[in-house]
Amino acid sequence: MSINKHNVGLVIGMLIAGTANTVISKYQDMACVENCDNPDISKRKHFEQPIWQTLNMFLGETLCLVAASIFAYLAEKYGRAKWADLFLDDEEEVPAVLESDGLIAHPPGHGHGHGAQAKKKKLEGVYVLLLWLPTLCDMTASTLMNVGLIYCAASVYQMLRGALVIFTGLLSIIFLGRRLLAFEWFALFTIVMGIATVGLASVVAQDAKPVVGDNEPDSDEAIKAFKALLGIFLVLFAQIFTATQFVIEEKFLSGFYCAPLRAVGYEGLFGTITVLVAMPILHFTLGVANPGSFFDLTTGWEQIKTYPQIWVPAIIMLFSISSYNFFGISVTKTIHATSRSTIDSCRTLFIWAISIYLGWEKFLPLQVLGFVMLVYGTFVFNGVIEPHLFAPPKATHPGENEPLLNSSARQDR
């Protein structure tokens, strides 16, 4: 189904909540927490606590479990509502959900088979713990992306996440035995070139002055360029873990069914537990020896309590993440994959426009070129448009040419 008057509200809600997730996270990263009155901007210290942000993301997802339980109770008591299939355990496979900011996608290989499907089991009891495996991938990817967002622009961060298609495609070949067609390889190559262009634009933006000033290798310009490259690397590296998450879900969870909103909530719960267990370990092994670092969780907590520009967005983020998951899953169930790809591109444009309006970024023509290449490659891969080269063969079975990864924006979060 395409976008129409019946689901346009869901689309708008997904765009608003999804855009808010990235913008709010970047706003937190830019909050000054030390030496804020120093006229030398380079001496000011900003909020850099990616682990706390990851915990915030999982708490937001956990709210989906609470909402699913409440809605399921009301549906059973007063009758099935219009959106009851989001939180009732009908026979539907577990969705490949749950990226830091709410990516919702079908598992790798979904739709490519045309034989009779085996009867699925309800995901309950001890089998629910299988969701812990993809949760660990999500936790790692989200934390890496949170660190990457500290060092790179919000729009660049969002564009770089398009690399997920590349890693999911490659891992599906290795572990799922999937074969990519010529037009899909062409699309992946185009996405790689687009990502390289966006990354180059990001580094150039930090290079308005000579990278090394006065022959000093530790100049501010050199440090900024290095941090931009580090941010790009971390965001791209995180996509490997997200792609692994999808492959794990296909390998271990494709034989189960579970209410989509409840699956999101379970991942949020498991993620919250895992992060809470890891936090004191990281603090006492790394944070204590490195005061003020990512792992100094005591300092992070004090900063969160002290500065409203950190804890107020954190509360808003709880509800924007849970709302985004609800809207994202609803949209996934009501519109076609090609429309979802378009929506995701609109989200990136909104983040980009807001960042420029707020003065966080400058308009860079080279970044426009990279974004166009990313969108074109993603649209070709997802079947939104036919490529000018290596056109896909006509499908002989229903759903045979269904795209590998139907993305619509969800964490950072």
Side-chain angles (χ1 to χ4, degrees), residues 101-221:
D101 69 344
L103 181 94
I104 306 296
H106 292 300
H110 175 79
H112 289 273
H114 48 269
Q117 293 186 346
K119 185 174 178 60
K120 296 179 173 59
K121 297 185 294 184
K122 182 178 178 180
L123 189 68
E124 59 183 353
V126 69
Y127 292 111
V128 172
L129 296 178
L130 288 174
L131 283 171
W132 219 307
L133 293 174
T135 297
L136 294 175
C137 294
D138 188 22
M139 179 186 67
T140 305
S142 298
T143 304
L144 288 172
M145 286 191 287
N146 286 335
V147 178
L149 184 58
I150 293 173
Y151 297 129
C152 67
S155 65
V156 173
Y157 161 87
Q158 194 64 36
M159 293 179 193
L160 293 176
R161 293 177 62 189
L164 176 62
V165 176
I166 300 172
F167 295 116
T168 305
L170 295 178
L171 290 181
S172 70
I173 294 173
I174 298 172
F175 296 104
L176 301 179
R178 188 178 183 274
R179 181 175 63 89
L180 296 184
L181 302 177
F183 84 95
E184 292 174 312
W185 284 111
F186 169 73
L188 293 182
F189 175 77
T190 305
I191 293 172
V192 169
M193 296 304 296
I195 289 172
T197 306
V198 169
L200 177 62
S202 178
V203 175
V204 169
Q206 305 295 335
D207 197 23
K209 301 177 182 180
V211 173
V212 179
D214 299 326
N215 296 320
E216 295 180 7
D218 59 344
S219 66
D220 290 342
E221 290 76 21

Side-chain angles (χ1 to χ4, degrees), residues 97-99 134 137-138 241-249 267:
V97 286
L98 319 176
E99 211 192 320
C137 294
D138 188 22
F241 290 94
T242 304
T244 303
Q245 173 189 352
F246 291 155
V247 172
I248 289 175
E249 286 171 341
E267 174 164 338

Side-chain angles (χ1 to χ4, degrees), residues 205-373:
Q206 305 295 335
D207 197 23
K209 301 177 182 180
V211 173
V212 179
D214 299 326
N215 296 320
E216 295 180 7
D218 59 344
S219 66
D220 290 342
E221 290 76 21
I223 294 174
K224 289 180 180 179
F226 171 76
K227 287 183 176 180
L229 286 171
L230 178 61
I232 291 170
F233 169 78
L234 290 174
V235 175
L236 292 176
F237 187 53
Q239 306 316 305
I240 298 177
F241 290 94
T242 304
T244 303
Q245 173 189 352
F246 291 155
V247 172
I248 289 175
E249 286 171 341
E250 170 67 4
K251 274 285 188 181
F252 297 104
L253 298 174
S254 59
F256 296 91
Y257 65 91
C258 179
L261 202 61
R262 192 178 297 276
V264 175
Y266 279 135
E267 174 164 338
L269 177 62
F270 296 153
T272 299
I273 295 172
T274 305
V275 173
L276 288 175
V277 170
M279 287 175 78
I281 298 175
L282 293 172
H283 175 72
F284 289 109
T285 56
L286 299 173
V288 173
N290 300 278
S293 68
F294 297 156
F295 307 104
D296 185 0
L297 302 179
T298 301
T299 298
W301 176 244
E302 289 300 321
Q303 292 171 353
I304 293 172
K305 291 193 305 178
T306 304
Y307 296 94
Q309 61 266 44
I310 298 176
W311 64 259
V312 171
I315 294 175
I316 297 174
M317 178 79 83
L318 287 176
F319 296 98
S320 69
I321 287 176
S322 55
S323 299
Y324 186 78
N325 279 282
F326 172 79
F327 289 126
I329 293 173
S330 301
V331 167
T332 299
K333 294 173 67 66
T334 58
I335 70 173
H336 193 268
T338 56
S339 299
R340 292 197 298 273
S341 297
T342 306
I343 294 169
D344 198 32
S345 300
C346 291
R347 178 195 179 195
T348 302
L349 283 175
F350 287 168
I351 293 171
W352 197 0
I354 291 173
S355 298
I356 293 176
Y357 175 77
L358 294 176
W360 295 352
E361 303 179 32
K362 294 181 179 179
F363 180 80
L364 301 173
L366 188 61
Q367 190 175 352
V368 176
L369 174 61
F371 177 67
V372 170
M373 296 172 69

